[in-house]
Amino acid sequence: MRRAGTRPDSTDRAWWWDAVCYRVDVRSFADADGDGVGDLDGLRGRLGYLELLGVDAVVLAGAAGTDPASEAVSALLDEARDVGMRVMLAADVDPARTDPSAVLAPWLERGVDGFHLAPREDPAGAIRAAADDAALIGTGSGEWDLEFNLDLAVAGFDAAPIREAITKVLAAGTRPAWAMASTDTERSRDEAALTPVRAMALVQLALPGAACLRHGEELGLPGTQRIPMPWEGAEPPFGFSAAEGDWSSIPADWASFTVETQLEDPDSTLSLYRHALETRGTHPSFSGDGVEWFGAPEGCFAFRRVGRGVTCALNTSAEAVPLPPGEVVLSSRPLDDGRLPPGTAAWLV
C-alpha cells in the first residue's frame, strides 16, 4: 500500500494535487461509545479501513463544533499521521461576518492539513490568508487550491453532456476536485442501478485533479448523507453502533452492501473502488494535467491523459462498442468478447 499523498511521477507536487479525499459525516460513520451517534473515536477505530481503501485524506464533516484541543482530536491526528493519511476539516467560514482566523487557527494549531469550505465568496483573500499554506478546497470566487465541482453528478449518464462537463471544468484553469456524491433518495439499489454508478467512478478517478468521495459511496449506497455506515452483520445497524434502539432508517436489505460482505466479493463495488484507487495511485500512466479526446461512436467517448497516459472509455449507448487501442487494466463491468458493453467504462494503457 502506498503512503498517502505520494505519487510515482509527481513527488515534487503538493500532496493534494491528485489526492483522493474521503468525506466522513462523523455522526453517521462509526459509534465508539455506544450512544447511537458516530464520534471521532469511532472514526479512529476505522482508519485501517480507509488505509485499505487507499484514500489520501479524510475530511471531517459535522465536527466543526468539536474542541480541536480535545483528546479525541489529538488521538485521531496522531494515528492518521502514523499511516500517512492527511486530515482536513469541512468548515463553513463567511468572511463577511466572521474572522476566518477564529475558525481556522485552532485547527491549524492542532496540525490539520486543510479545509473543505462550504460554498462562499472570498474575493479579498481573507480565508486564504488565515489558512496560510494549508490546502483549501472551495467553491466560488476565492484563492482555492482545489475547485470543488459536482458537474459529473449533474450531467446524467449520457456521454455527450459528461464530455461537455469535463471540458468546461478543465478549461476553467483551477485544479479541479471532482465529486460524484449521490443525491438520490432511494432506499435500495439493484444491480441495474449500480451499473452507471460503477462506470462513472472510473470516469471520475481517471481525470486530472483530486477526487472527493463521500463515505458509503464506495459501497454503492444510495442517498448516503447522514445514513449510518453499514460495516458488518445481517441486521441494522450493521456494526455501526452497539446501542439498542430504532434503526429503521437503515434498510434491512443493506446486508449485501456492508463492508464485510463486499470485501469478500472481488466483483463488488467496494472491490472496484479499491482496485481503481490502487491503480490510480501507483500506475505511472495516471499523469498529465489535461486530456485529449478520441473519436467514438454515438453515446460513447474516450479520453487519454496527455503524455501517453491512461485512456478512459465510456459507453452510455444501448450497444456494445469496440475498445480504443491499449491493454485493459480495469473495467466497471466484464467486457463482452473484447468489446465495451452498454453502461460500462474501462481503463486502458
Side-chain angles (χ1 to χ4, degrees):
M1 178 65 66
R2 68 189 171 95
R3 297 283 290 180
T6 65
R7 292 189 56 81
D9 62 332
S10 56
T11 54
D12 58 333
R13 287 178 167 172
W15 68 266
W16 44 261
W17 190 253
D18 279 321
V20 176
C21 302
Y22 185 90
R23 182 184 177 100
V24 169
D25 295 308
V26 174
R27 293 170 62 86
S28 58
F29 192 65
D31 171 24
D33 61 13
D35 66 353
V37 179
D39 45 54
L40 290 178
D41 287 336
L43 168 58
R44 181 164 57 89
R46 299 291 185 175
L47 281 180
Y49 166 71
L50 300 188
E51 185 182 13
L52 183 69
L53 181 59
V55 304
D56 298 299
V58 56
V59 182
L60 309 180
T66 303
D67 179 5
S70 68
E71 292 184 6
V73 171
S74 295
L76 175 64
L77 289 170
D78 288 344
E79 292 200 20
R81 292 190 191 101
D82 287 344
V83 297
M85 192 175 298
R86 308 282 181 161
V87 178
M88 303 180 73
L89 179 73
D92 187 356
V93 182
D94 184 357
R97 295 188 311 271
T98 304
D99 177 8
S101 294
V103 178
L104 305 187
W107 289 95
L108 291 170
E109 290 171 2
R110 302 306 296 173
V112 299
D113 298 282
F115 302 92
H116 187 170
L117 302 168
R120 292 288 184 186
E121 302 295 318
D122 186 33
I127 297 177
R128 175 77 272 173
D132 194 20
D133 61 352
L136 291 181
I137 304 175
T139 306
S141 174
E143 297 181 37
W144 321 129
D145 297 299
L146 296 167
E147 183 78 19
F148 181 82
N149 75 83
L150 284 164
D151 292 60
L152 293 179
V154 301
F157 194 60
D158 187 326
I162 296 170
R163 175 173 174 167
E164 291 175 6
I166 292 170
T167 301
K168 184 190 77 171
V169 171
L170 293 179
T174 307
R175 192 68 174 172
W178 306 94
M180 278 297 301
S182 172
T183 57
D184 62 51
T185 57
E186 295 294 327
R187 288 168 56 87
S188 63
R189 176 171 276 164
D190 58 18
E191 285 299 305
L194 279 173
T195 293
V197 172
R198 293 166 61 97
M200 289 305 298
L202 293 194
V203 173
Q204 174 194 16
L205 295 172
L207 288 165
C212 293
L213 308 181
R214 190 173 208 131
H215 88 244
E217 188 175 346
E218 75 280 11
L219 303 179
L221 296 181
T224 57
Q225 186 174 14
R226 291 186 299 277
I227 301 255
M229 181 81 163
W231 292 100
E232 58 204 15
E235 297 179 355
F238 299 117
F240 164 74
S241 173
E244 297 183 359
D246 180 11
W247 295 107
S248 59
S249 64
I250 309 176
D253 63 1
W254 277 16
S256 62
F257 283 101
T258 66
V259 170
E260 178 184 52
T261 297
Q262 294 201 43
L263 280 176
E264 297 174 353
D265 180 3
D267 297 321
S268 70
T269 301
L270 175 57
S271 294
L272 176 71
Y273 268 89
R274 286 185 61 199
H275 193 174
L277 293 184
E278 180 179 12
T279 304
R280 184 183 192 270
T282 59
H283 201 287
S285 64
F286 284 80
S287 60
D289 296 333
V291 302
E292 50 191 4
W293 298 92
F294 292 87
E298 185 175 356
C300 306
F301 68 57
F303 66 79
R304 180 170 59 193
R305 295 276 288 264
V306 297
R308 300 182 62 82
V310 67
T311 295
C312 179
L314 173 69
N315 181 4
T316 66
S317 75
E319 303 292 336
V321 298
L323 284 162
E327 175 189 355
V328 176
V329 294
L330 188 61
S331 62
S332 62
R333 291 293 188 196
L335 300 181
D336 180 5
D337 194 24
R339 293 164 64 87
L340 191 65
T344 305
W347 289 350
L348 305 98
V349 296

